[in-house]
Amino acid sequence: MSATVKAGEKAAVYVDDRLGSANFFKRSLGKVFPDHWSFMLGEVALYSFLIVLLTGVFLTLFFNPSMTEVVYQGSYVPLRGVSMSEAYRSTLDISFDVRGGLLMRQIHHWAALFFIAAISVHLLRVFFTGAFRKPREFNWMIGIGLLTMALGAGFAGYSLPDDLLSGTGLRIAEGIMLSIPLVGTYVSMFVFGGEFPGTEFIPRLYAIHILLIPGLILALVTAHLMMVWYQKHTQFPGPGRTNDNVVGYRLMPIYMAKAGGFFFAVFGITTLIAGLVTINPIWAYGPYTPDQVTAGSQPDWYIGWLEGALRMMPNWETVIWGWTISWNILIPSVVVPGIIFTAMALYPYLEAWVTGDKREHNLLDRPRNAPVRTAIGAMGLSFYVLLWIGGGNDLIARFFDMSLNSITWFLRFAIFIIPPIVFVITKRFCLSLQRRDRDKLLHGRETGNILRLPHGEFIEIHGELSMEERAEILGKTDIQPLPMPASEDRNGVRNKKAKRELRRAKLSRWFYGDNVPLPTAAELAEADAHIAHEVEATKPILAEGEALHVDRDEAVLHGDPALTAAAVQAAQSIEDERKG
C-alpha cells in the first residue's frame, strides 16, 4: 500500500470517528441514477452556472461599477477623448488591456446564455414528460424560480457595462416601471435613485448581480438537488423499470466519471464558441447617452419575447381622473408575464385538480400518452415563438424588404389564431401515435417484406417488437375521466358542490376523454400468438432472402427455387392460421 493511500485512509478514519460519515457516504456513493440523454439538460444548466461563477469572479476583480463621468484615454483609439462612465471604461479596459479579459467576458456571456437555455429546455422536458407530478410539485416551482432568477441575472449583467445598447434596455425597463398605476413613478425613482438614469443605479445593480441573485440561485439549486436526491430520479418506461425502482448506473464510479467528463466538455465547447464568435461588442455601440438609441437594437434572446409583446401591443391609453394608464406598456410587460409565470408555477396543482390524480409518479409519460398536456405545451411554445418573432419585426422587415406594419398586424392576429390551431394539430398527432403503438402491439413491427397469399392478397410480414419498445408502449397508464356528480344524494338532499364538481368532471373529460386504450390482456395474448406464428412461418423466407446475393445492377430476383418454396409454404401456413 502506497504512502498516499495510507494517508487517505487515515484521513477518512479521522473524519469518520468525529462525524460518523462512513455509512452516509457508503449509501450515497451507491445511489443509482437512470441514464437518458434528456437528463443531461439539467447538468448543462448546472455546469454553465459554475462557469458563470468562475468567470464572474475574474471579471469582478477588474470591473468598476461607478457612473462617475470620465474621459477615456485607453487602448481603443476610436473612443479616445470620449466622455463615459467608469463602468463603461472599466469594461473597455477588461476587453483590451487585461490579459485574457475579452475571452473571459465572452465565456461569461455565452455561459449565461447557455444557462438560461438549458433551464428552459430542461423545464420543457419536465413538463412534456409529466415529471412535475406528485411528489415533485415543489421541485417544479423551484425550477420556475430558477428560470426567473436566471432571467434577472442575465438582464442585470447585460446592463452593467453602461453601453448604448444596454442603456436602451434600461430605458425600456424604466418605462415598464412607470406604466404601473399609482406607484410606477415611486418605483422608478427608488430603483434609479432619482430621475433616469441617475447616478446610483449601476452600483445597486452590481450588488444585485454578484451577490443577491447568485445567492438565491445557489440556494435554489441546492434545494433542487437535495429534493432530487431524496425523492430519487424519475425514469422513462422500459424493461424492468417500475414506479418503485430505479434502473441505471451507481453514482460511483460510472456516473461520477461521466459527469466529470461532461463538465469539461461543456466548459470546452463554451470556451471554443467564446473564442470564435463575438458577442456584445460594447466598443461598437459607444457609451450610453440618454438622448440616443441604438438603431436596430435587439436584446439577448431570452428577453426577445417580452420585446415582441411590447412591439405588438396597440397604442392604448386611458386617462382616469388625470392619471394616464398606458395599457400598451402595462399589459404586455407586466400583466402577460405575470399571468404566464403564475400559470407555469401552479400548473402541477391545476392538472392534479382537473384530473383528480393523487398518485405518486416516478415513471415518466411519453408525450404522446398525454395528448392534452402535450398540446398545451406546444400551444404555449407557438405563443412564445410568435412573440419572439415580434421582437425582431424591424430586422425581418428590412432583411426581407417587407412592410413593418404588415408584419406587426399579422402577428397581432396570429397570436390569437395560430396557438389554438397548434393545440388541435398536436393533440391529433399524439392520438395518431397512440394508435400506431396499439397497432404495433397487435400486429408487430413492420419488416418491409411483402408476401402474397394463395388467394391473391398481399400482406406485409411482421416481426416481434423488441423488449425495450414493448416495455415503452406498455408503460402507458389508461386513466378514466372523473365521473359526473349526482345532483342529489341517496336521501334526496341537494349536493351543494354539484356545480363545482360538474365543472371539474367536464375538465377531466376534456383532459382524458380522447385516448386510444392499450389492448386488453386477452387481446395481447391473442396478438402475441398470431405474431409468433407469423414469425415462425416466415422465418425461412427471411433467412433465405438474407443468404441471396444480389448483383448491383439487379433489383428483382426471379425464379429462385429455395425462396419460392419457402414463400409458398409460409403463405399457406398463414392462410390456414387465418381460417382456423
Side-chain angles (χ1 to χ4, degrees):
M1 184 180 295
S2 65
T4 304
V5 174
K6 287 182 179 179
E9 182 180 352
K10 289 181 180 180
V13 172
Y14 180 86
V15 173
D16 182 54
D17 288 342
R18 287 153 180 80
L19 301 178
S21 56
N23 290 332
F24 170 76
F25 281 113
K26 183 178 180 180
R27 293 194 308 270
S28 300
L29 295 178
K31 193 172 182 65
V32 176
F33 286 88
D35 188 41
H36 192 271
W37 67 266
S38 66
F39 298 155
M40 294 194 301
L41 297 170
E43 294 184 47
V44 173
L46 176 62
Y47 301 152
S48 298
F49 179 61
L50 293 178
I51 297 170
V52 168
L53 290 181
L54 293 173
T55 54
V57 170
F58 177 89
L59 296 175
T60 301
L61 301 176
F62 302 98
F63 180 71
N64 185 358
S66 172
M67 298 185 73
T68 303
E69 188 169 325
V70 297
V71 176
Y72 181 70
Q73 298 295 339
S75 301
Y76 188 64
V77 176
L79 288 178
R80 283 183 182 174
V82 176
S83 297
M84 59 185 64
S85 67
E86 278 277 12
Y88 185 68
R89 184 179 71 174
S90 65
T91 308
L92 289 176
D93 291 342
I94 292 172
S95 301
F96 296 109
D97 297 315
V98 176
R99 187 181 298 274
L102 181 58
L103 179 61
M104 284 295 182
R105 276 194 61 232
Q106 297 271 106
I107 295 174
H108 189 73
H109 201 135
W110 277 112
L113 296 181
F114 293 153
F115 177 53
I116 299 173
I119 291 178
S120 302
V121 181
H122 181 56
L123 283 172
L124 289 174
R125 197 276 299 173
V126 170
F127 178 84
F128 283 115
T129 60
F132 56 81
R133 294 171 296 176
K134 183 181 177 179
R136 297 176 178 83
E137 301 96 334
F138 287 167
N139 231 355
W140 168 261
M141 297 184 72
I142 288 174
I144 300 300
L146 278 171
L147 177 61
T148 306
M149 291 295 103
L151 293 175
F155 182 74
Y158 168 85
S159 304
L160 283 177
D162 200 29
D163 59 286
L164 187 56
L165 181 61
S166 65
T168 302
L170 285 178
R171 189 60 147 173
I172 296 173
E174 186 225 8
I176 293 172
M177 298 175 197
L178 292 174
S179 71
I180 303 174
L182 301 179
V183 299
T185 304
Y186 302 102
V187 171
S188 175
M189 297 286 282
F190 173 77
V191 170
F192 291 99
E195 291 287 346
F196 179 87
T199 59
E200 304 295 330
F201 183 68
I202 294 297
R204 293 177 179 180
L205 194 65
Y206 183 67
I208 292 172
H209 181 67
I210 70 169
L211 291 176
L212 179 61
I213 296 181
L216 291 174
I217 292 177
L218 277 173
L220 291 174
V221 167
T222 302
H224 173 73
L225 294 177
M226 289 175 63
M227 293 182 71
V228 169
W229 191 273
Y230 175 76
Q231 294 173 341
K232 70 186 178 183
H233 207 293
T234 54
Q235 59 186 347
F236 283 96
R241 299 170 188 169
T242 68
N243 209 45
D244 301 317
N245 70 354
V246 178
V247 177
Y249 299 106
R250 295 189 182 277
L251 181 63
M252 284 291 289
I254 297 177
Y255 193 83
M256 286 293 290
K258 292 173 63 177
F262 191 51
F263 168 73
F264 288 108
V266 172
F267 207 147
I269 292 173
T270 304
T271 304
L272 179 64
I273 294 175
L276 297 177
V277 184
T278 300
I279 190 170
N280 198 24
I282 59 158
W283 53 88
Y285 308 138
Y288 178 63
T289 305
D291 61 347
Q292 297 180 8
V293 175
T294 305
S297 59
Q298 295 289 310
D300 278 338
W301 70 267
Y302 52 86
I303 302 295
W305 67 280
L306 186 59
E307 174 87 4
L310 285 167
R311 296 187 184 194
M312 289 165 56
M313 185 69 185
N315 186 25
W316 293 348
E317 289 186 349
T318 303
V319 179
I320 302 177
W321 298 325
W323 295 87
T324 300
I325 301 178
S326 299
W327 301 108
N328 56 325
I329 306 296
L330 181 65
I331 292 177
S333 62
V334 179
V335 177
V336 171
I339 293 174
I340 290 175
F341 278 89
T342 301
M344 288 170 59
L346 297 180
Y347 183 83
Y349 302 98
L350 295 174
E351 181 176 306
W353 181 81
V354 167
T355 61
D357 187 2
K358 304 298 181 184
R359 300 167 300 150
E360 288 195 3
H361 296 273
N362 296 317
L363 278 180
L364 299 172
D365 283 336
R366 300 171 79 195
R368 67 186 65 181
N369 293 336
V372 172
R373 182 201 302 144
T374 303
I376 291 173
M379 180 174 66
L381 280 176
S382 66
F383 183 80
Y384 169 84
V385 169
L386 289 170
L387 291 179
W388 195 71
I389 292 174
N393 59 356
D394 56 337
L395 298 182
I396 295 173
R398 186 178 65 181
F399 186 81
F400 292 102
D401 194 22
M402 299 172 65
S403 167
L404 177 63
N405 288 334
S406 298
I407 295 173
T408 302
W409 275 104
F410 168 78
L411 292 172
R412 286 174 179 174
F413 284 100
I415 201 73
F416 295 103
I417 297 173
I418 292 181
I421 295 175
V422 171
F423 178 91
V424 174
I425 294 175
T426 304
K427 183 180 177 182
R428 302 313 304 176
F429 189 70
C430 289
L431 292 173
S432 298
L433 290 175
Q434 287 187 30
R435 292 188 187 93
R436 181 168 173 264
D437 287 343
R438 179 183 171 87
D439 289 341
K440 284 184 178 181
L441 290 175
L442 294 177
H443 305 294
R445 63 177 178 85
E446 299 175 349
T447 64
N449 295 291
I450 305 300
L451 180 66
R452 180 182 178 183
L453 298 181
H455 65 275
E457 178 186 357
F458 288 90
I459 65 170
E460 182 176 12
I461 299 174
H462 289 76
E464 295 177 325
L465 295 178
S466 66
M467 290 182 58
E468 180 73 24
E469 189 172 10
R470 183 181 177 89
E472 284 182 355
I473 298 175
L474 291 176
K476 176 190 174 189
T477 302
D478 290 323
I479 302 175
Q480 297 299 319
L482 294 176
M484 291 294 178
S487 58
E488 298 178 352
D489 62 16
R490 65 179 63 182
N491 298 319
V493 179
R494 185 173 64 87
N495 183 5
K496 296 181 180 180
K497 299 181 179 179
K499 290 184 178 180
R500 179 187 176 188
E501 292 176 354
L502 179 62
R503 287 194 295 268
R504 185 181 181 189
K506 288 182 178 180
L507 286 173
S508 176
R509 190 173 297 275
W510 170 73
F511 199 93
Y512 283 136
D514 292 328
N515 178 55
V516 180
L518 290 174
T520 63
E523 289 175 331
L524 276 176
E526 182 180 352
D528 290 343
H530 173 74
I531 294 171
H533 178 269
E534 184 171 328
V535 168
E536 187 65 28
T538 57
K539 188 180 296 183
I541 304 178
L542 301 179
E544 196 69 36
E546 291 177 359
L548 290 174
H549 173 72
V550 182
D551 292 334
R552 184 179 299 273
D553 297 331
E554 300 221 301
V556 182
L557 288 170
H558 297 281
D560 182 76
L563 184 61
T564 302
V568 171
Q569 183 180 358
Q572 189 61 53
S573 176
I574 293 175
E575 181 80 6
D576 295 341
E577 193 263 344
R578 284 189 170 190
K579 292 179 179 179

